[in-house]
């Protein structure tokens, strides 16, 4: 059984594992490049599950085949946005796929505010549930 005892954001592959080391990230980059996938670095300060479009850090790396160069971009993003969530994505340009095939978080803020479940009673004993991000209680740029 998988649990989330740390109350951390779980998006993409490896979310329930401890944070990946740079060596482990490099191994995943090599695997994705071996599949012919292009890598990209994205960041956000609001990782709400419905927020699937994060900001791009630089351009997608379609022509870069060196894992060290991609890890350099990850580390530059970490320096620029140390208190944001940063993820690495792998894009397949194969006809019929043309989509992100792999993504995983490579940086988290030191303190993750988490999410809450808001229950609302409506007509006829109907219950509606929404997810509330505690990060959005503050103004953008002041969330972490």
């Amino acid at each position: 059984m998988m649990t989330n005892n740390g109350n951390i954001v779980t998006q993409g592959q490896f979310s329930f594992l401890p944070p990946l080391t740079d060596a482990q990230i490099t191994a995943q980059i090599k695997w994705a490049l071996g599949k012919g996938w292009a890598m990209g670095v994205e960041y956000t300060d609001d990782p709400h599950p419905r927020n699937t479009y994060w900001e791009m850090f630089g351009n997608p790396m379609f022509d870069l085949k060196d894992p060290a160069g991609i890890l350099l971009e990850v580390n530059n993003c970490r320096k620029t946005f140390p208190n944001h969530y940063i993820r690495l994505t792998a894009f397949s340009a194969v006809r019929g796929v043309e989509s992100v095939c792999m993504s995983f978080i490579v940086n988290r803020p030191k303190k993750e505010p988490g999410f809450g479940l808001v229950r609302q009673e409506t007509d006829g004993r109907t219950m509606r549930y929404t997810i509330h991000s505690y990060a959005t209680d503050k103004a953008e740029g002041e969330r972490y």
Side-chain angles (χ1 to χ4, degrees):
M1 184 166 110
M2 298 178 94
T3 59
N4 187 357
N5 294 329
N7 208 20
I8 61 172
V9 170
T10 54
Q11 289 188 18
Q13 287 91 342
F14 319 119
S15 290
F16 287 93
L17 298 175
L20 299 177
T21 65
D22 283 357
Q24 293 169 323
I25 293 169
T26 300
Q28 295 304 318
I29 293 169
K30 285 180 185 176
W31 185 81
L33 292 176
K35 297 269 190 193
W37 296 343
M39 305 300 293
V41 179
E42 301 176 342
Y43 65 95
T44 188
D45 66 346
D46 182 19
H48 189 282
R50 291 188 179 149
N51 179 15
T52 57
Y53 300 106
W54 292 18
E55 299 291 328
M56 291 287 302
F57 185 80
N59 293 321
M61 296 168 266
F62 289 105
D63 296 331
L64 191 55
K65 304 299 180 203
D66 179 17
I70 295 169
L71 188 62
L72 179 67
E73 279 298 297
V74 168
N75 287 328
N76 286 338
C77 189
R78 285 173 173 163
K79 287 177 192 168
T80 306
F81 300 103
N83 296 316
H84 283 60
Y85 292 89
I86 300 171
R87 72 178 172 197
L88 196 55
T89 61
F91 178 84
S92 173
V94 172
R95 185 180 171 106
V97 178
E98 302 169 335
S99 181
V100 171
C101 294
M102 179 172 83
S103 73
F104 55 96
I105 294 175
V106 295
N107 192 74
R108 298 173 178 277
K110 287 183 177 37
K111 181 178 181 239
E112 296 188 63
F115 295 91
L117 189 63
V118 179
R119 184 174 93 174
Q120 180 183 22
E121 296 182 28
T122 62
D123 297 336
R125 297 176 54 176
T126 302
M127 299 297 230
R128 291 199 176 127
Y129 295 92
T130 56
I131 297 174
H132 174 72
S133 171
Y134 295 121
T136 58
D137 289 343
K138 295 182 179 179
E140 188 173 339
E142 297 176 0
R143 293 180 180 157
Y144 297 102

